[in-house]
Amino acid sequence: MPKFLEFHRIQGLCTIQDKPRVEGAQWGISAGGAADNRSKLWANTLLSQDQHAPVLEMAMFRGTFIFAADSQIAVTGAPAMVFIDGQRQPMWTTLDISQGQKLEIVQGRQGQYSYLGFNGALDAKEQFGALSMSVREHLGVNQGRPFRSGDCLDGQPAARVLSRVVPFSFRPKFEQVFTVGLIPSFQFRQLAKKVKQQFFGQYFEVGQQSDKMGIRLLGNMAPTELITQSEGMVCGAVQLPPDGQPIVMLCGHQTLGGYPKIGVVPQSDIGKLAQAVTGCKIAFRLTSRQKAQKLCLNAQKIDHMAVCRVI
């Protein structure tokens, strides 16, 4: 395939993400994929792409791209300034871009991850069932190496689609203080009453040592004395290390962990957690698996009903 996209000037972390490697745990491979899957899905929806179509995930990013052919794009996720040949463009909408035009994206201070969707097919091979890049495991396109200035992607644009926009009411809010659910784990009843009271009775602060593996939270917690064995991990699991400071596992989590787990954050709240920047305040509310499933299904129905307005 011919050259499709050139990475002109890149500052920050830029990778391709399509779908998680759901069957990689048996090989010690993390699932990976997009940190904020809902924002990724909206980027593909705006371009009438399959939900697992690859997008560019950008973090702490400022950079420019040059398209080698006429195409269409959409930028979603964390707020960013978007320019085509110097002209400011909106996020959360389908944008036309012509061959040779320069696309510039500059992230702001709200949120962690922005997503660039594009209407086209890439010439790239999957590894363990996905194109998603894992920097730590050297997997995916480029063997997991983040894109640098001068890199190129081969591919070709797809047929043009109708331009659409995501209504404001369906776009995520990037709050500095918020609450997420917690489904209790089987170890929940083994934890001391004092630990659980402290956990649910305060707001935790997002620490600096947070990434796609997990969010480290800082708060006033008693040391955890429960001894457990290493066991399989899932995205959203909340571990309590000996110092009591919670770690919430995200999409790049390790496959095994030995710290006690107080519970699991529902998938419907994972994107909010992944987008939380250092200093954000997060509290937990106890919920059940049934309530979490119902909430997730309702959110999916609402998203399906939110047909992007044609413009």
Side-chain angles (χ1 to χ4, degrees), residues 17 21 26 29 68 108 112 121 186 206 235 243-244 247 301 305:
Q17 303 297 335
R21 294 181 171 86
Q26 61 181 322
I29 298 171
Q112 296 275 23
F186 73 94
V206 175
C235 185
D243 64 2
I247 305 174
K301 288 179 182 178
M305 291 170 61

Side-chain angles (χ1 to χ4, degrees), residues 2 32 46 73 82 95 132 170 172 196 198 202 205 226 244-245 248 260 267 272 274 276 294 296:
L46 286 166
I73 62 170
V82 180
L95 301 172
S132 290
F170 293 97
K196 289 182 279 192
Q198 289 180 329
Q202 65 177 302
E205 182 175 315
L226 183 63
Q245 303 302 315
V248 186
Q267 288 300 306
K272 290 179 65 174
K294 185 176 181 180
C296 186

Side-chain angles (χ1 to χ4, degrees), residues 82-99:
V82 180
F83 304 89
I84 295 179
D85 281 354
Q87 296 295 313
R88 183 77 179 266
Q89 304 293 329
M91 293 181 63
W92 301 94
T93 187
T94 312
L95 301 172
D96 294 324
I97 190 164
S98 301
Q99 179 182 2

Side-chain angles (χ1 to χ4, degrees), residues 140-154:
V141 177
N142 264 4
Q143 299 297 309
R145 175 181 65 77
F147 292 108
R148 299 193 291 244
S149 301
D151 284 344
C152 293
L153 280 175
D154 294 334

Side-chain angles (χ1 to χ4, degrees), residues 42 45 167 170 301-309:
W42 274 122
T45 299
F170 293 97
K301 288 179 182 178
I302 291 172
D303 282 352
H304 288 317
M305 291 170 61
V307 178
C308 297
R309 180 165 56 88

Side-chain angles (χ1 to χ4, degrees), residues 189-232:
R189 286 178 287 184
Q190 301 175 32
L191 292 167
K193 183 178 180 180
K194 179 181 179 181
V195 170
K196 289 182 279 192
Q197 288 176 336
Q198 289 180 329
F199 182 84
F200 291 106
Q202 65 177 302
Y203 278 92
F204 293 93
E205 182 175 315
V206 175
Q208 292 183 345
Q209 294 181 325
S210 299
D211 53 24
K212 287 185 72 170
M213 283 188 66
I215 290 184
R216 293 180 178 271
L217 301 177
L218 307 175
N220 180 26
M221 289 288 292
T224 305
E225 300 177 354
L226 183 63
I227 298 175
T228 60
Q229 296 180 334
S230 291
E231 53 199 6

Side-chain angles (χ1 to χ4, degrees), residues 22 25 35 40 44-45 53 61 86 88 104 124 139 142 146 151 167 234 277:
V22 293
K40 169 189 172 290
N44 282 327
T45 299
F61 185 81
R88 183 77 179 266
E104 182 179 10
L139 282 176
N142 264 4
D151 284 344
V234 297
V277 298

Side-chain angles (χ1 to χ4, degrees), residues 18 30 35 79 91 112 143 149 152 168 174 180 188 195 278 293 306:
D18 60 348
S30 66
M91 293 181 63
Q112 296 275 23
Q143 299 297 309
S149 301
C152 293
F168 282 98
F174 295 89
V180 297
F188 182 85
V195 170
T278 301
Q293 288 176 334

